[in-house]
Amino acid sequence: MERKRTVLRPETVQTASTVPEEVDVPVARTELQPVTIPETRTVETPVTVQRARTVMQPEQVPVTRTVVERQQVPVTRTVMRPEQVPVSRTVVERQQVPVTRTVMETQQVPVSRTELRPEQVPVTRTITERVPVTTSQVVMRPYIAYRPETVQTTQLVERPRTVTETRTVMRPQTITEMRTVQRPRIVTETQEVERPRTVTEMQTVMRPQTVTETQEMERPRTITEAKTVLRPRTVVENETVMQRRTVTENRTELRPRTVVENHRVVRPRTVVSNRTVLRPETVTSREKVLRPETEITTGSIERRTGIRNAAFTDE
């Protein structure tokens, strides 16, 4: 026969649960840190320099050209004649020039300082004292007829009262004193320096000169014309120029710096755990059993009674 029965069998089941867990997490934050940086900058200071420049100055120069004609023509010849010409030369001469320098001198200056001095100041405070206060109330007294009557009752109550006292407090007071300090003072002095100066002198030089004679012949004739040309001339001038100078200064600036810190935070963590559970399961089993069976047997049964026997005898 088949028999079905439910049995509990153990089975391993994985269970995932979320539990909070403290974890150190590196957190980067940026903070500003002062850093001193040497900074080089260029400043301009005025400096007086002597600068030579070339200027174009107009000058009359002779221009000679030759023509041919039949006439009384002058014949030119060149002779050397002395001539006074100006000659420029540069001489160095001493000259008094003002020189400015800075000296330190002692000077009395007022210096203010603040010190605390005791001072009497009024201080107001409130105290509570007992003061008799009279209150009136209406009471009912019995007599032939009730009538209202005012009854005065005196009692002590506490009332605030302002009391002014004198208290000594320390108050700052500015005191001016005379202090001796060293202060710079600009002193102008006269100094003798050598400066160049252009001196123009007259000098005798031998210059060629053209002498013209008249002659009747066909000869070329030289015509001298005056022409204005620009010739360069060197001029020395004093000029104030701005000279660049490199100055190194320290400058403090804030630079960002990244700092990594560990912060403890709580994060959820999934934990997988194995547990054994009993699950019902239907089990089918076959077995042989012995069952009682009923057998039916057919036969005759003789009943012997007294009546049945007598009847049978008569016959």
mmCIF file of all heavy atoms in Angstrom, residues 80-88 200-209:
data_model
loop_
_atom_site.group_PDB
_atom_site.id
_atom_site.type_symbol
_atom_site.label_atom_id
_atom_site.label_comp_id
_atom_site.label_asym_id
_atom_site.label_seq_id
_atom_site.Cartn_x
_atom_site.Cartn_y
_atom_site.Cartn_z
ATOM 1 N N MET A 80 94.892 130.103 -52.420
ATOM 2 C CA MET A 80 94.688 129.830 -51.004
ATOM 3 C C MET A 80 94.820 131.134 -50.252
ATOM 4 O O MET A 80 95.844 131.818 -50.345
ATOM 5 C CB MET A 80 95.709 128.809 -50.494
ATOM 6 C CG MET A 80 95.664 127.485 -51.234
ATOM 7 S SD MET A 80 94.064 126.648 -51.065
ATOM 8 C CE MET A 80 94.145 126.201 -49.343
ATOM 9 N N ARG A 81 93.776 131.520 -49.546
ATOM 10 C CA ARG A 81 93.779 132.739 -48.758
ATOM 11 C C ARG A 81 93.412 132.408 -47.318
ATOM 12 O O ARG A 81 92.577 131.529 -47.066
ATOM 13 C CB ARG A 81 92.796 133.760 -49.337
ATOM 14 C CG ARG A 81 93.250 134.344 -50.665
ATOM 15 C CD ARG A 81 92.278 135.411 -51.089
ATOM 16 N NE ARG A 81 92.710 136.027 -52.356
ATOM 17 C CZ ARG A 81 92.062 136.989 -52.962
ATOM 18 N NH1 ARG A 81 90.930 137.449 -52.427
ATOM 19 N NH2 ARG A 81 92.514 137.510 -54.094
ATOM 20 N N PRO A 82 94.025 133.118 -46.419
ATOM 21 C CA PRO A 82 93.639 132.886 -45.007
ATOM 22 C C PRO A 82 92.244 133.446 -44.723
ATOM 23 O O PRO A 82 91.860 134.480 -45.283
ATOM 24 C CB PRO A 82 94.718 133.619 -44.224
ATOM 25 C CG PRO A 82 95.219 134.673 -45.170
ATOM 26 C CD PRO A 82 95.125 134.108 -46.548
ATOM 27 N N GLU A 83 91.545 132.727 -43.831
ATOM 28 C CA GLU A 83 90.183 133.156 -43.496
ATOM 29 C C GLU A 83 89.896 132.759 -42.036
ATOM 30 O O GLU A 83 90.325 131.705 -41.566
ATOM 31 C CB GLU A 83 89.182 132.476 -44.421
ATOM 32 C CG GLU A 83 87.734 132.956 -44.206
ATOM 33 C CD GLU A 83 86.784 132.260 -45.164
ATOM 34 O OE1 GLU A 83 87.278 131.578 -46.088
ATOM 35 O OE2 GLU A 83 85.567 132.408 -44.972
ATOM 36 N N GLN A 84 89.242 133.698 -41.373
ATOM 37 C CA GLN A 84 88.857 133.449 -39.991
ATOM 38 C C GLN A 84 87.554 132.625 -39.989
ATOM 39 O O GLN A 84 86.533 133.068 -40.505
ATOM 40 C CB GLN A 84 88.648 134.773 -39.237
ATOM 41 C CG GLN A 84 89.888 135.616 -39.093
ATOM 42 C CD GLN A 84 90.868 135.022 -38.099
ATOM 43 O OE1 GLN A 84 90.458 134.359 -37.160
ATOM 44 N NE2 GLN A 84 92.160 135.260 -38.317
ATOM 45 N N VAL A 85 87.647 131.449 -39.382
ATOM 46 C CA VAL A 85 86.455 130.595 -39.285
ATOM 47 C C VAL A 85 86.211 130.247 -37.816
ATOM 48 O O VAL A 85 87.165 130.147 -37.035
ATOM 49 C CB VAL A 85 86.629 129.296 -40.110
ATOM 50 C CG1 VAL A 85 86.710 129.614 -41.580
ATOM 51 C CG2 VAL A 85 87.846 128.511 -39.655
ATOM 52 N N PRO A 86 84.962 130.160 -37.414
ATOM 53 C CA PRO A 86 84.685 129.754 -36.024
ATOM 54 C C PRO A 86 84.926 128.262 -35.836
ATOM 55 O O PRO A 86 84.533 127.439 -36.667
ATOM 56 C CB PRO A 86 83.212 130.112 -35.829
ATOM 57 C CG PRO A 86 82.627 130.050 -37.185
ATOM 58 C CD PRO A 86 83.720 130.462 -38.136
ATOM 59 N N VAL A 87 85.592 127.916 -34.741
ATOM 60 C CA VAL A 87 85.876 126.523 -34.393
ATOM 61 C C VAL A 87 85.274 126.250 -33.011
ATOM 62 O O VAL A 87 85.538 127.008 -32.062
ATOM 63 C CB VAL A 87 87.386 126.230 -34.402
ATOM 64 C CG1 VAL A 87 87.652 124.791 -33.988
ATOM 65 C CG2 VAL A 87 87.963 126.505 -35.776
ATOM 66 N N SER A 88 84.515 125.231 -32.937
ATOM 67 C CA SER A 88 83.877 124.858 -31.666
ATOM 68 C C SER A 88 84.663 123.741 -31.003
ATOM 69 O O SER A 88 85.053 122.761 -31.654
ATOM 70 C CB SER A 88 82.436 124.388 -31.905
ATOM 71 O OG SER A 88 81.660 125.421 -32.458
ATOM 72 N N THR A 200 83.275 128.446 -28.601
ATOM 73 C CA THR A 200 83.504 128.776 -30.016
ATOM 74 C C THR A 200 84.655 129.780 -30.116
ATOM 75 O O THR A 200 84.597 130.865 -29.509
ATOM 76 C CB THR A 200 82.237 129.353 -30.641
ATOM 77 O OG1 THR A 200 81.170 128.409 -30.511
ATOM 78 C CG2 THR A 200 82.445 129.666 -32.105
ATOM 79 N N GLU A 201 85.697 129.420 -30.846
ATOM 80 C CA GLU A 201 86.859 130.277 -31.034
ATOM 81 C C GLU A 201 87.055 130.545 -32.525
ATOM 82 O O GLU A 201 86.594 129.789 -33.380
ATOM 83 C CB GLU A 201 88.122 129.608 -30.464
ATOM 84 C CG GLU A 201 88.052 129.343 -28.974
ATOM 85 C CD GLU A 201 89.284 128.622 -28.484
ATOM 86 O OE1 GLU A 201 90.081 128.153 -29.349
ATOM 87 O OE2 GLU A 201 89.456 128.507 -27.255
ATOM 88 N N MET A 202 87.726 131.631 -32.808
ATOM 89 C CA MET A 202 88.044 131.989 -34.180
ATOM 90 C C MET A 202 89.435 131.437 -34.520
ATOM 91 O O MET A 202 90.393 131.632 -33.767
ATOM 92 C CB MET A 202 88.016 133.509 -34.382
ATOM 93 C CG MET A 202 86.655 134.138 -34.110
ATOM 94 S SD MET A 202 85.342 133.433 -35.127
ATOM 95 C CE MET A 202 85.857 134.020 -36.730
ATOM 96 N N GLN A 203 89.521 130.757 -35.671
ATOM 97 C CA GLN A 203 90.768 130.151 -36.088
ATOM 98 C C GLN A 203 91.025 130.511 -37.545
ATOM 99 O O GLN A 203 90.101 130.567 -38.367
ATOM 100 C CB GLN A 203 90.701 128.627 -35.924
ATOM 101 C CG GLN A 203 92.006 127.920 -36.233
ATOM 102 C CD GLN A 203 91.883 126.433 -35.995
ATOM 103 O OE1 GLN A 203 90.853 125.995 -35.498
ATOM 104 N NE2 GLN A 203 92.908 125.697 -36.333
ATOM 105 N N THR A 204 92.293 130.787 -37.848
ATOM 106 C CA THR A 204 92.675 131.141 -39.214
ATOM 107 C C THR A 204 93.031 129.880 -39.969
ATOM 108 O O THR A 204 93.951 129.148 -39.576
ATOM 109 C CB THR A 204 93.850 132.110 -39.219
ATOM 110 O OG1 THR A 204 93.503 133.281 -38.474
ATOM 111 C CG2 THR A 204 94.241 132.523 -40.632
ATOM 112 N N VAL A 205 92.326 129.661 -41.058
ATOM 113 C CA VAL A 205 92.587 128.494 -41.897
ATOM 114 C C VAL A 205 92.771 128.985 -43.327
ATOM 115 O O VAL A 205 92.333 130.074 -43.709
ATOM 116 C CB VAL A 205 91.422 127.476 -41.816
ATOM 117 C CG1 VAL A 205 91.295 126.930 -40.414
ATOM 118 C CG2 VAL A 205 90.111 128.108 -42.282
ATOM 119 N N MET A 206 93.430 128.173 -44.099
ATOM 120 C CA MET A 206 93.654 128.467 -45.501
ATOM 121 C C MET A 206 92.554 127.793 -46.303
ATOM 122 O O MET A 206 92.417 126.566 -46.310
ATOM 123 C CB MET A 206 95.035 127.975 -45.954
ATOM 124 C CG MET A 206 96.189 128.619 -45.205
ATOM 125 S SD MET A 206 96.257 130.427 -45.371
ATOM 126 C CE MET A 206 96.731 130.550 -47.103
ATOM 127 N N ARG A 207 91.754 128.632 -46.924
ATOM 128 C CA ARG A 207 90.682 128.103 -47.734
ATOM 129 C C ARG A 207 90.900 128.497 -49.188
ATOM 130 O O ARG A 207 91.365 129.604 -49.481
ATOM 131 C CB ARG A 207 89.331 128.624 -47.259
ATOM 132 C CG ARG A 207 88.827 127.929 -46.014
ATOM 133 C CD ARG A 207 87.392 128.260 -45.787
ATOM 134 N NE ARG A 207 86.863 127.508 -44.659
ATOM 135 C CZ ARG A 207 85.622 127.598 -44.215
ATOM 136 N NH1 ARG A 207 84.793 128.445 -44.820
ATOM 137 N NH2 ARG A 207 85.213 126.880 -43.194
ATOM 138 N N PRO A 208 90.498 127.589 -50.058
ATOM 139 C CA PRO A 208 90.664 127.965 -51.475
ATOM 140 C C PRO A 208 89.635 129.001 -51.887
ATOM 141 O O PRO A 208 88.489 128.953 -51.446
ATOM 142 C CB PRO A 208 90.443 126.641 -52.211
ATOM 143 C CG PRO A 208 89.615 125.824 -51.285
ATOM 144 C CD PRO A 208 90.020 126.218 -49.891
ATOM 145 N N GLN A 209 90.082 129.943 -52.713
ATOM 146 C CA GLN A 209 89.215 130.990 -53.203
ATOM 147 C C GLN A 209 89.370 131.092 -54.715
ATOM 148 O O GLN A 209 90.475 131.042 -55.246
ATOM 149 C CB GLN A 209 89.540 132.331 -52.550
ATOM 150 C CG GLN A 209 88.573 133.444 -52.932
ATOM 151 C CD GLN A 209 88.906 134.744 -52.229
ATOM 152 O OE1 GLN A 209 89.906 134.791 -51.481
ATOM 153 N NE2 GLN A 209 88.119 135.766 -52.467
#
